[in-house]
Amino acid sequence: NPIYDKKATTTSELKINRLNVLQGPCTGKTEIYLLCDKVQKDDIEIIFSRDKWEAKAEFAQTDVHRQIAIVFKSPPYQERDITEEVEVDVCLRRLSDHMSSEPVKFTYLPHNPDPYEVNRK
Amino acid sequence: KPIYDSKSPNASNLKISRMDKTCGSVLGGDEIFLLCDKVQKDDIDIRFFEEDKEGGWEDFGDFSPTDVHKQYAIVFKTPKYHTPDIERPVTVFLQLKRRKGSDCSEPKQFTYVPHVQDKEEVQRKKKK
């Protein structure tokens, strides 16, 4: 097990505490609030992944709030024509040392779902 | 004009930076993520209010100290509006307010939307 210096954000363990939204369309652009342990705004990325696919969430350094929250937009899923929900992993990753947080789950929804959700009942 | 020590969480430097939602049901209970300047988890309220000639209205966001994240974010549930059967959206204010003393942040707007009973209508609104 690696030993972390909890005080230094350059080496501390990355952790996602909470997301405000846990699902969104496979076309991406869902605005998400993520609460985390301290990060450096210029040394962090948010990675969506499933199997071999991975994509980076979109945000600016000004979207990192006091090192403990990030407001970002979900990337589009690799396929835009999914007909079923797809669950992917979301994690924080430090650019400098490539360390990642434990993943949390996010669900991509089909772009053109049954508007009255009769199929889901 | 008072001078505040910006390093001290007790100084009046309360500020709401960002909220993930600015509207919700008239019945309350909507979860909101609020990003703010430094707060003390056991000395902070989220005050919803409306000022009018009849003394106004206030109620408070529902959260526990564990919902205050690292002093800079709060996850809370909205209080219900005083009149549950509004027919049009109503805009009120909310602000951070210290329990000890009277320090408050600048208010932000929040809009209560009417409760819609009809199921198809609810689905249609969700789509928008």
Side-chain angles (χ1 to χ4, degrees):
Chain A
N1 267 356
I3 296 164
Y4 297 109
D5 174 357
K6 291 201 167 155
K7 297 261 170 70
T9 49
T10 48
T11 54
S12 59
E13 189 172 358
L14 296 167
K15 188 182 171 204
I16 297 174
N17 290 274
R18 220 160 161 171
L19 300 181
N20 70 329
V21 175
L22 299 175
Q23 58 178 39
C26 60
T27 44
K29 300 267 181 212
T30 304
E31 188 182 78
I32 300 176
Y33 279 47
L34 177 155
L35 304 185
C36 55
D37 283 4
K38 274 193 176 186
V39 297
Q40 294 278 84
K41 63 183 174 191
D42 55 356
D43 189 24
I44 197 73
E45 53 189 8
I46 300 168
I47 304 294
F48 281 58
S49 65
R50 184 173 194 260
D51 303 326
K52 282 178 184 164
W53 170 76
E54 84 170 36
K56 287 176 195 171
E58 189 189 311
F59 64 93
Q61 289 187 17
T62 51
D63 293 319
V64 181
H65 174 73
R66 303 282 179 171
Q67 300 191 294
I68 57 85
I70 307 174
V71 179
F72 65 94
K73 295 226 164 65
S74 62
Y77 186 56
Q78 58 179 340
E79 296 162 43
R80 314 293 163 85
D81 54 355
I82 54 171
T83 52
E84 308 236 309
E85 297 177 358
V86 178
E87 195 177 73
V88 303
D89 285 338
V90 180
C91 65
L92 288 168
R93 189 163 73 194
R94 200 155 36 219
L95 294 162
S96 54
D97 62 3
H98 297 285
M99 290 298 290
S100 294
S101 69
E102 287 291 314
V104 297
K105 299 293 180 192
F106 181 84
T107 302
Y108 278 113
L109 306 173
H111 177 48
N112 187 21
D114 175 1
Y116 296 97
E117 298 192 353
V118 285
N119 290 338
R120 297 180 64 199
K121 280 178 188 159
Chain B
K1 209 177 175 188
I3 296 163
Y4 299 114
D5 173 0
S6 61
K7 298 264 172 67
S8 162
N10 294 317
S12 185
N13 46 18
L14 295 172
K15 187 185 169 206
I16 298 172
S17 299
R18 220 160 163 173
M19 297 190 297
D20 69 339
K21 289 186 206 87
T22 53
C23 64
S25 167
V26 71
L27 303 179
D30 287 299
E31 186 180 81
I32 296 188
F33 278 45
L34 180 154
L35 307 184
C36 54
D37 279 3
K38 199 174 219 178
V39 296
Q40 302 280 61
K41 65 181 174 200
D42 48 9
D43 185 24
I44 196 73
D45 276 330
I46 298 168
R47 175 177 178 254
F48 282 67
F49 65 100
E50 203 174 34
E51 284 166 340
D52 62 26
K53 45 272 160 201
E54 281 153 51
W57 162 79
E58 72 170 16
D59 204 345
F60 295 89
D62 181 21
F63 63 94
S64 69
T66 54
D67 294 318
V68 180
H69 176 70
K70 316 273 182 192
Q71 300 191 293
Y72 286 109
I74 307 173
V75 179
F76 69 96
K77 292 218 165 70
T78 56
K80 62 178 186 297
Y81 187 57
H82 59 75
T83 307
D85 54 357
I86 54 171
E87 280 170 13
R88 292 167 180 282
V90 176
T91 296
V92 303
F93 294 100
L94 76 151
Q95 64 186 175
L96 293 169
K97 184 173 184 297
R98 254 189 266 284
R99 289 178 192 163
K100 299 166 194 152
S102 52
D103 292 338
C104 298
S105 71
E106 288 291 314
K108 294 265 187 194
Q109 291 191 334
F110 183 83
T111 301
Y112 280 112
V113 299
H115 177 56
V116 182
Q117 300 266 357
D118 177 29
K119 257 193 176 172
E120 282 196 359
E121 186 66 24
V122 172
Q123 295 299 345
R124 222 173 301 148
K125 288 207 168 171
K126 272 189 184 166
K127 281 282 291 172
K128 281 182 187 165

